[in-house]
Amino acid sequence: MGSSRSSILCFLMLCASFLVPTSCHSYSHGALFIFGDSFYDAGNNIYLNTSNTSLAKLNIFPYGETYFKHPTGRVSDAEFAKLPLIPPYLQPGNHQFTNGVNFASGGAGALVENNQGPIMGLKTQLRNFKNMEKQLRKKLGASEIKTLLSTAVYMFSIGSNDYLVPFITNSTLLQSYSKKEYVKMVIGNITTVIQEIYKIGGRKFGLSKLIPLGCFPFSRAQKLSSTALLEALKELKKSQLKGYTYSIFDAYTAATAIFNNPSKYGFEEVKMACCGSGPLRGSLLACGLKVYQLCDNVSQYFFFDELHPTEKANYQFAKLMWDGSPKIVKPYNLKTLFKK
């Protein structure tokens, strides 16, 4: 068992592989470059020099048990691994970047202030992307790198920690700004990174609204964030960025639909986590690290731990992201985005 946001990525890679025949010298199939937090982290944090295992490293049981049968450092598992997994950037010996790279780091935030410990925040991930691009440019040449970057899809899952970390650390950051101002800062950092990648050659971006994280004070700001992100992406489209296009998945609405009618989507439990301790097994950073409880049948649960959905939940999300209707993923689903 284990949570499985990475299964979304593997499923999307599998689907994308069927769209266009590939060859050794063709990048028309589209590489996949991944940025974000623990929802997309493929193991980068296990290579970071940190003793804060409770926050940064999750190469512990029971994470990784569903697919890999052992801990891998992924908060998320991969079910649809019929293609080589996109490797974490920090993985030793990882120099094959032409199919994509995963820069995500568990605990990362869009704001520097919310990056607790030596994790790789969004700005660091951008810096790593630029370093990778320079390596590829030397290896492939200007023409091939231009094609690779322009046909690639850039996936982002970032922002949850920007609303969670100030709350759990009793930071005064949220008190220093109005909710609207704070959201503007978070979204501004995300769109700045998108614009930087665009300048280097990226054109196609896939993002997701945040899933509901409960009734804490930060949840209202989180709702504002979902609306602000969509508007920011629309504004970038209007700003004469030639060739820029995007897909945004409404994970908030998709998750709310499941919460309101669990049995319709095959779930029995949408409040309690499968793994954890405390009320509803919802204590932060408890799964695998403290005295914790583990459910018998993870497929009945929406949440694996206090934050991360189960593999089953994310399979459903992945399907919606890939070929969902404009009601849930707009203006294009990812299947269309990969083809464009």
Side-chain angles (χ1 to χ4, degrees):
M1 62 184 58
S3 60
S4 64
R5 192 69 181 237
S6 287
S7 67
I8 289 181
L9 303 174
C10 294
F11 177 70
L12 297 177
M13 286 188 295
L14 173 61
C15 293
S17 70
F18 294 127
L19 294 180
V20 184
T22 63
S23 69
C24 293
H25 302 289
S26 171
Y27 304 108
S28 57
H29 60 293
L32 186 60
F33 296 105
I34 302 156
F35 303 81
D37 50 29
S38 59
F39 287 106
Y40 280 0
D41 186 357
N44 277 309
N45 280 17
I46 66 175
Y47 303 109
L48 294 174
N49 182 23
T50 174
S51 59
N52 189 358
T53 57
S54 65
L55 179 65
K57 301 178 181 180
L58 284 170
N59 51 334
I60 53 175
F61 178 87
Y63 293 97
E65 290 301 302
T66 305
Y67 180 81
F68 296 100
K69 309 305 179 186
H70 61 86
T72 63
R74 297 169 182 263
V75 177
S76 308
D77 293 343
E79 177 183 5
F80 309 100
K82 295 183 180 179
L83 289 179
L85 297 177
I86 299 297
Y89 176 75
L90 295 182
Q91 180 177 294
N94 176 23
H95 305 297
Q96 301 299 319
F97 300 137
T98 53
N99 286 322
V101 184
N102 190 318
F103 300 97
S105 176
L111 300 181
V112 174
E113 295 87 345
N114 292 327
N115 297 320
Q116 299 293 301
I119 59 176
M120 299 188 298
L122 187 58
K123 288 187 177 180
T124 300
Q125 293 177 37
L126 175 63
R127 183 165 63 247
N128 291 339
F129 172 77
K130 290 180 176 180
N131 290 336
M132 178 221 66
E133 187 272 340
K134 291 177 181 177
Q135 294 180 50
L136 277 180
R137 185 171 293 276
K138 291 179 181 179
K139 178 180 178 181
L140 302 175
S143 179
E144 285 199 39
I145 188 64
K146 180 180 179 180
T147 300
L148 187 151
L149 295 177
S150 65
T151 57
V153 170
Y154 302 82
M155 294 284 293
F156 287 79
S157 173
I158 195 79
S160 292
N161 290 311
D162 293 291
Y163 303 105
L164 180 63
V165 169
F167 177 75
I168 64 176
T169 60
N170 294 318
S171 168
T172 59
L173 187 61
L174 280 175
Q175 301 171 13
S176 303
Y177 305 93
S178 69
K179 289 183 175 68
K180 189 173 182 179
E181 290 171 335
Y182 186 78
V183 166
K184 186 176 181 180
M185 290 166 54
V186 173
I187 301 302
N189 276 21
I190 296 172
T191 54
T192 295
V193 170
I194 290 175
Q195 289 173 299
E196 287 293 311
I197 294 173
Y198 177 89
K199 291 176 184 178
I200 298 171
R203 294 295 181 266
K204 301 187 287 187
F205 300 87
L207 297 96
S208 174
K209 294 182 181 180
L210 306 177
I211 66 171
L213 292 178
C215 300
F216 296 108
F218 62 81
S219 63
R220 188 176 177 187
Q222 182 196 22
K223 291 177 184 179
L224 291 174
S225 179
S226 293
T227 302
L229 178 60
L230 177 58
E231 292 305 313
L233 294 175
K234 289 180 180 178
E235 287 301 314
L236 285 180
K237 187 69 174 175
K238 295 177 183 177
S239 63
Q240 300 181 357
L241 299 182
K242 185 177 180 181
Y244 159 82
T245 190
Y246 67 92
S247 170
I248 182 166
F249 170 57
D250 191 350
Y252 193 96
T253 296
T256 300
I258 295 174
F259 297 163
N260 290 339
N261 194 353
S263 61
K264 178 180 178 180
Y265 300 92
F267 296 97
E268 295 185 19
E269 180 56 71
V270 296
K271 295 180 180 179
M272 181 180 290
C274 171
C275 179
S277 64
L280 301 178
R281 298 181 188 142
S283 297
L284 288 171
L285 305 173
C287 182
L289 293 165
K290 303 175 182 178
V291 177
Y292 65 93
Q293 296 174 315
L294 191 62
C295 68
D296 294 325
N297 187 353
V298 68
S299 67
Q300 296 175 350
Y301 288 73
F302 178 87
F303 284 106
F304 178 72
D305 61 16
E306 75 282 0
L307 289 175
H308 304 98
T310 58
E311 189 159 355
K312 179 177 179 178
N314 280 306
Y315 180 97
Q316 295 183 16
F317 282 177
K319 187 69 169 62
L320 291 171
M321 292 171 72
W322 181 252
D323 58 9
S325 73
K327 291 182 179 180
I328 203 71
V329 55
K330 60 181 70 172
Y332 308 106
N333 56 39
L334 286 176
K335 182 178 182 179
T336 302
L337 192 69
F338 266 95
K339 287 180 176 180
K340 288 182 72 66

